[in-house]
Amino acid sequence: MSGRAQLMWDEAVTGYDFGPGHPMDPVRLALTRRLVDAFGLDRAVEVVAAKPAGDSTLRLVHREDYVRAVKAASADPASADASYGLGTLDDPAFAGMHEVSALIAGQSVAAAEAVWHGDALHAVNFAGGLHHAMPGGASGFCIYNDASLAIARLLELGAERIAYVDVDVHHGDGVQTAFWEDPRVLTVSLHEHPRTLFPQTGWPEETGAPDAEGSAVNVALPAGTGDAGWVRAFHAVVPELLADFRPQVLVTQHGADTHVEDPLAHLAVSLDAQRAVQIACHDLAHRYADGRWIALGGGGYAVVDVVPRSWTHLVAIAADRPITPETVIPESWRQEVYARTRQLAPMRMTDGGWPVSFAHWESGYAPANRLDQAVRAARRAAFPLRGLLA
């Protein structure tokens, strides 16, 4: 098996563009790639531009009628069928929508193939992680669900145990739905509580279909959760599940919208905590999945201050070239940020909160603490179904 990481990238993914004023600004992808290059990480990974996912691959998850609807809206945006979630405020139709969405999906599918076949130990597609798309519809800025497609391809190749860990601020509803009845896939999502955030799913009681009970685990975090609570919740749930499940591949989704500056959500997480969880996912892949790790992007709408730094850390960790948080950001990148956005770029690869301190779950449970209540609810709902102590 090659020890080198792959970075899945085709400049054309920046064409995933819902138009002016939409939160999913593709500049976040372009600026992330430029920051990766500014740190020389493009020389520490193998940069791969994979082909778009074809129809047969898309149908591993998506209904044929939905793929036809996306193609029709892509050719004529004015004809978008809202019954498929297309042409809505969240998912406006645009020319070429099918092609670029299939291209992003193709990068994640190729990442899965590379890791499964041993061509790479780790693979990153930060343009991916479009976890809200459903088998029969677009949702939440997501047209095709590349994360689900990567997992479905792994199953097709013969994988028997795949763990999916989603730390986006929004519930990973599309991936949970795709594998709701499949005990071969363990989906774990840490997200802001559905009472206060789209898509209003991801309650602890959502634990999988009767034949796959305990295959879905949901940690619904209270609004305002900060670094110590967020990292505590991750370590209170994820490592124990992976130790029990022993996945052959770990797929993780790293939406950067947990950040305190994100305009669309209500958690209070820093870049430093995001980095801490990225490192934890890397370590867990080595501990329980023979190092096989597929890391995806996701949400994130602070497109200058947060997203490029967060996902550059992700690439650096996958490349085994972690960037020290206090590192000064290259001036060349900061100048490019200003030229593209007229915004001032951050100075360092930290928010000033490194190292992140938190209390491990084993240190004790505080019944009156809302964060601990959320963790306890998730454990009580799902852990006994897997034969684990709540």
Side-chain angles (χ1 to χ4, degrees):
M1 176 180 287
S2 170
R4 195 171 195 198
Q6 287 188 359
L7 173 61
M8 317 307 297
W9 177 259
D10 185 317
E11 198 73 28
V13 300
T14 60
Y16 192 81
D17 187 353
F18 291 113
H22 193 282
M24 187 77 103
D25 188 337
V27 74
R28 70 198 194 118
L29 302 179
L31 290 178
T32 300
R33 179 58 209 275
R34 299 290 90 76
L35 188 56
V36 165
D37 292 353
F39 278 111
L41 295 171
D42 55 324
R43 299 188 296 276
V45 297
E46 180 185 3
V47 180
V48 176
K51 64 182 182 181
D55 286 5
S56 61
T57 298
L58 294 174
R59 287 199 298 269
L60 291 174
V61 168
H62 294 291
R63 295 200 319 251
E64 188 171 1
D65 62 310
Y66 173 59
V67 175
R68 284 199 306 268
V70 175
K71 288 182 177 180
S74 183
D76 179 12
S79 70
D81 188 341
S83 70
Y84 290 102
L86 302 169
T88 62
L89 286 175
D90 273 2
D91 298 284
F94 59 92
M97 180 172 64
H98 163 75
E99 289 76 12
V100 70
S101 300
L103 180 63
I104 291 172
Q107 307 310 303
S108 292
V109 170
E113 292 171 344
V115 168
W116 184 254
H117 291 310
D119 298 325
L121 192 58
H122 309 326
V124 179
N125 177 23
F126 58 74
L130 304 178
H131 60 166
H132 294 307
M134 293 291 175
S139 178
F141 314 161
C142 304
I143 305 301
Y144 293 138
N145 195 318
D146 64 286
S148 293
L149 289 164
I151 293 168
R153 179 60 175 144
L154 287 168
L155 294 173
E156 189 178 51
L157 290 170
E160 297 175 346
R161 295 182 312 283
I162 302 163
Y164 172 76
V165 176
D166 188 318
V167 297
D168 192 288
V169 78
H170 302 92
H171 177 226
D173 57 339
V175 184
Q176 177 178 285
T177 296
F179 303 104
W180 184 251
E181 300 178 347
D182 196 333
R184 297 174 298 173
V185 182
L186 171 67
T187 64
V188 186
S189 180
L190 286 82
H191 48 266
E192 185 179 329
H193 201 285
R195 283 198 194 95
T196 55
L197 195 66
F198 173 91
Q200 283 80 51
T201 58
W203 298 80
E205 296 76 18
E206 297 170 29
T207 56
D211 290 338
E213 285 189 332
S215 66
V217 182
N218 288 288
V219 187
L221 301 169
T225 296
D227 286 4
W230 192 65
V231 178
R232 172 175 167 84
F234 178 92
H235 284 281
V237 173
V238 177
E240 194 171 345
L241 289 168
L242 297 188
D244 170 68
F245 189 62
R246 296 279 169 173
Q248 293 162 294
V249 183
L250 176 61
V251 181
T252 57
Q253 197 268 22
H254 296 271
D257 44 9
T258 51
H259 197 275
V260 64
E261 292 182 16
D262 196 90
L264 299 189
H266 318 99
L267 295 192
V269 172
S270 74
L271 182 76
D272 299 290
Q274 292 177 346
R275 180 180 185 268
V277 164
Q278 293 166 2
I279 291 171
C281 288
H282 172 262
D283 293 348
L284 289 167
H286 280 279
R287 193 176 309 164
Y288 300 122
D290 294 324
R292 297 188 188 94
W293 182 34
I294 300 160
L296 308 173
Y301 310 101
V303 299
V304 169
D305 285 349
V306 177
V307 175
R309 291 189 298 160
S310 186
W311 292 346
T312 297
H313 274 306
L314 182 65
V315 173
I317 291 161
D320 201 25
R321 288 265 304 274
I323 298 168
T324 304
E326 295 78 13
T327 300
V328 174
I329 292 173
E331 179 63 24
S332 60
W333 184 78
R334 299 184 70 251
Q335 291 176 358
E336 181 165 359
V337 166
Y338 188 77
R340 283 177 176 257
T341 69
R342 289 298 183 263
Q343 295 184 46
L344 296 177
M347 293 290 295
R348 296 180 184 271
M349 292 294 285
T350 179
D351 286 339
W354 188 266
V356 177
S357 299
F358 68 99
H360 283 276
W361 187 248
E362 294 77 12
S363 66
Y365 161 64
N369 182 280
R370 292 175 63 218
L371 184 281
D372 281 13
Q373 291 170 4
V375 171
R376 190 67 177 271
R379 291 178 62 100
R380 280 182 165 170
F383 275 43
L385 299 173
R386 305 202 61 82
L388 300 172
L389 294 175

